Amino acid sequence: MRIPRRMSMNNLISRIDKDELAARAVFFSSVNRPLDFDGIKPDCKDHVHVVVIGTDHRMLFMLRQAALLAHYLNFDDETGGNRTVLTVVDPSAKNFDDLITLKSRIDSADYLSNLTKVCPWSCEMWHGEKESGNQTHSYIDINLRIVGLGNMSMNDFIVDLLNADEHQRVTMVAYKDILENIKVNKEIIHTKYFQKYEVPRTDVTYGDDNEIMNLKAAKKINTIYHFSKYLGDIKACDIDNVYRYSQAIKIFANNTKGRDLDVRWDEEKDLRLKLSNVYCADGIMSKIRGFKCDTPKDFLKTVASHLKQFAKCEHSRWNVEKLILGFREWNAQESYEYEFLYGSEAKDYRDRKKKEESAHIDICSNRTLRRIDLESVKYDNFFMLAIPYIISFSQG
């Protein structure tokens, strides 16, 4: 499809890296099953494992897309249980030093930004030397592994990996020629969840944002922070009370129309904020896939009965999104200084840190968020309850 010669400044496609467009095409392709296959419920013991084979610019964008997308209701931020595992395989790594060089390259990639500074990570030659970091008490639900094969064949590595854990749902992501050379006898592997995503070597072009993004959902989500006056009077003791959000949800469902959404969307000039709404919309289906609800009303009942878990999952996704978009968590000095501030001074400090230094107080565990910023928890809860109406609107 040809891209029109004249593109407005608000066209997101013209402002996004071509390899991110390729990654979106791969991960949202109708021919591929989702990374979580048939869905992951809060009590599920499985975790998603995405294996990216190759380390060029495009493959690292595949890693980025998986990190943005793969967040699930069963992650336990107290124990680190059920983390999504992202494995990058460097077939050309001859020794451990090659992996350390790759780790430095991933750390400095502006399209991955601050993710590796916070998430658990490891570099390892398969069955050989290993180094790891951020393993203790990390609240991030992504575990990054950088693997070199040494003298091991790709096929042997894949068989070993698939037999390592029966509770993983594995997706291999690679170019066609690499995937064709992977011959796995499914009868000898433990996991019943295994698939391959084929990555195109040519660029994927789009003339319309809506072809690769659910902009109707993103625009609806963009209005959520306009509901502060309806959420402001919810007290801490009522923050998880579904009924307390009913008035705001009713207005959100009925009084945010298409034209108003377009106006607010066009008024927003910050690319990071627009993409944040797109990435938020991307994550909706993985939250609801496992429940197999027939109608939005049925799903609303499901959300209401699991509200804290849904909101916790959304905060985990939001943490990774913000790190990838270039925000960072507060350091110890900033947290210390903030302890002495109250009221407007505290708000001014938070706003200044976010605007001038891209330092966000809410990049933290869900437990910490509930202790330091209950207002943000209200918005997570509100968004979860609004999902059925966002889906109905975007599909209508």
Side-chain angles (χ1 to χ4, degrees):
M1 179 176 292
R2 295 179 59 192
I3 300 179
R5 291 183 179 180
R6 297 186 64 186
M7 306 180 86
S8 72
M9 289 301 292
N10 286 326
N11 188 304
L12 287 185
I13 298 297
S14 65
R15 302 166 69 188
I16 296 176
D17 190 289
K18 63 181 182 181
D19 288 327
E20 177 170 0
L21 296 180
R24 293 188 66 84
V26 169
F27 280 77
F28 295 105
S29 170
S30 60
V31 302
N32 294 328
R33 296 187 70 185
L35 294 175
D36 55 354
F37 291 78
D38 53 0
I40 293 179
K41 293 184 179 181
D43 59 352
C44 180
K45 301 302 181 185
D46 290 351
H47 66 272
V48 165
H49 189 166
V50 181
V51 183
V52 175
I53 303 175
T55 64
D56 64 16
H57 191 266
R58 177 156 296 190
M59 297 313 297
L60 291 185
F61 262 94
M62 299 296 154
L63 172 72
R64 180 184 192 268
Q65 187 62 51
L68 287 168
L69 195 59
H71 306 279
Y72 305 102
L73 290 161
N74 64 342
F75 171 62
D76 187 337
D77 68 341
E78 293 188 25
T79 66
N82 305 317
R83 276 195 175 94
T84 292
V85 179
L86 304 183
T87 295
V88 183
V89 180
D90 185 353
S92 65
K94 303 300 182 186
N95 51 52
F96 189 71
D97 288 341
D98 290 343
L99 296 185
I100 296 301
T101 300
L102 174 59
K103 171 66 165 49
S104 297
R105 187 174 137 225
I106 291 174
D107 288 345
S108 61
D110 58 358
Y111 48 85
L112 291 170
S113 297
N114 295 314
L115 179 62
T116 57
K117 295 180 177 66
V118 186
C119 78
W121 61 267
S122 65
C123 290
E124 58 183 294
M125 296 300 293
W126 195 246
H127 298 316
E129 188 174 356
K130 180 177 180 178
E131 180 180 326
S132 61
N134 300 336
Q135 303 295 325
T136 305
H137 306 307
S138 177
Y139 53 86
I140 300 297
D141 63 343
I142 296 290
N143 185 7
L144 174 65
R145 301 169 67 217
I146 302 171
V147 176
L149 303 185
N151 295 323
M152 194 176 198
S153 72
M154 181 66 72
N155 246 49
D156 288 343
F157 164 74
I158 297 302
V159 171
D160 270 8
L161 181 145
L162 291 172
N163 280 312
D165 183 357
E166 64 180 325
H167 291 296
Q168 59 183 336
R169 303 186 179 195
V170 181
T171 299
M172 313 291 300
V173 184
Y175 293 119
K176 181 178 181 179
D177 54 312
I178 295 175
L179 292 178
E180 287 178 341
N181 289 324
I182 297 175
K183 310 294 184 183
V184 176
N185 183 348
K186 292 187 178 182
E187 284 70 35
I188 67 171
I189 62 176
H190 289 163
T191 180
K192 63 180 179 179
Y193 296 101
F194 176 53
Q195 65 180 333
K196 301 175 183 179
Y197 279 9
E198 180 184 319
V199 178
R201 291 190 182 273
T202 57
D203 292 343
V204 180
T205 57
Y206 298 89
D208 183 353
D209 297 349
N210 293 284
E211 291 181 59
I212 195 62
M213 302 171 186
N214 188 343
L215 282 191
K216 289 188 73 174
K219 290 176 181 180
K220 191 81 166 176
I221 291 168
N222 186 49
T223 67
I224 284 178
Y225 282 88
H226 293 271
F227 284 81
S228 57
K229 65 181 180 180
Y230 301 106
L231 304 182
D233 64 343
I234 299 178
K235 299 177 182 179
C237 60
D238 289 334
I239 201 166
D240 297 312
N241 183 330
V242 173
Y243 175 76
R244 297 289 280 118
Y245 297 87
S246 58
Q247 181 186 13
I249 289 293
K250 183 177 180 180
I251 294 172
F252 177 81
N254 298 322
N255 293 2
T256 49
K257 304 302 181 182
R259 186 178 180 280
D260 296 331
L261 302 182
D262 290 340
V263 169
R264 285 172 178 163
W265 183 260
D266 291 339
E267 287 174 346
E268 180 54 69
K269 304 304 180 185
D270 189 322
L271 177 61
R272 290 196 299 184
L273 291 178
K274 281 195 169 184
L275 287 176
S276 178
N277 291 314
V278 171
Y279 300 151
C280 185
D282 291 343
I284 287 177
M285 294 311 298
S286 64
K287 292 183 177 69
I288 70 176
R289 193 174 291 112
F291 290 98
K292 298 179 177 61
C293 298
D294 294 327
T295 66
K297 186 176 181 180
D298 290 338
F299 179 65
L300 184 58
K301 293 179 181 178
T302 298
V303 174
S305 60
H306 296 88
L307 183 58
K308 291 181 73 172
Q309 287 167 300
F310 272 88
K312 184 178 179 180
C313 177
E314 171 57 19
H315 182 65
S316 294
R317 185 208 64 80
W318 181 92
N319 276 330
V320 172
E321 173 209 297
K322 284 296 179 282
L323 291 167
I324 284 177
L325 288 177
F327 292 89
R328 64 169 175 84
E329 64 177 0
W330 277 16
N331 57 39
Q333 180 64 30
E334 288 162 338
S335 297
Y336 175 76
E337 291 172 354
Y338 185 69
E339 288 184 5
F340 298 92
L341 303 176
Y342 301 92
S344 61
E345 287 187 338
K347 181 181 183 304
D348 290 344
Y349 185 88
R350 292 197 307 268
D351 292 346
R352 177 168 57 82
K353 285 292 178 180
K354 182 168 64 173
K355 182 178 181 179
E356 297 178 2
E357 301 181 40
S358 292
H360 207 304
I361 187 176
D362 292 343
I363 300 178
C364 60
S365 71
N366 186 70
R367 288 169 294 155
T368 300
L369 182 70
R370 285 179 169 266
R371 178 172 56 84
I372 66 175
D373 191 5
L374 276 173
E375 289 299 312
S376 289
V377 178
K378 294 179 186 179
Y379 285 100
D380 285 340
N381 286 353
F382 179 70
F383 169 51
M384 294 301 99
L385 293 168
I387 282 178
Y389 305 100
I390 294 170
I391 294 173
S392 295
F393 176 79
S394 64
Q395 294 178 347

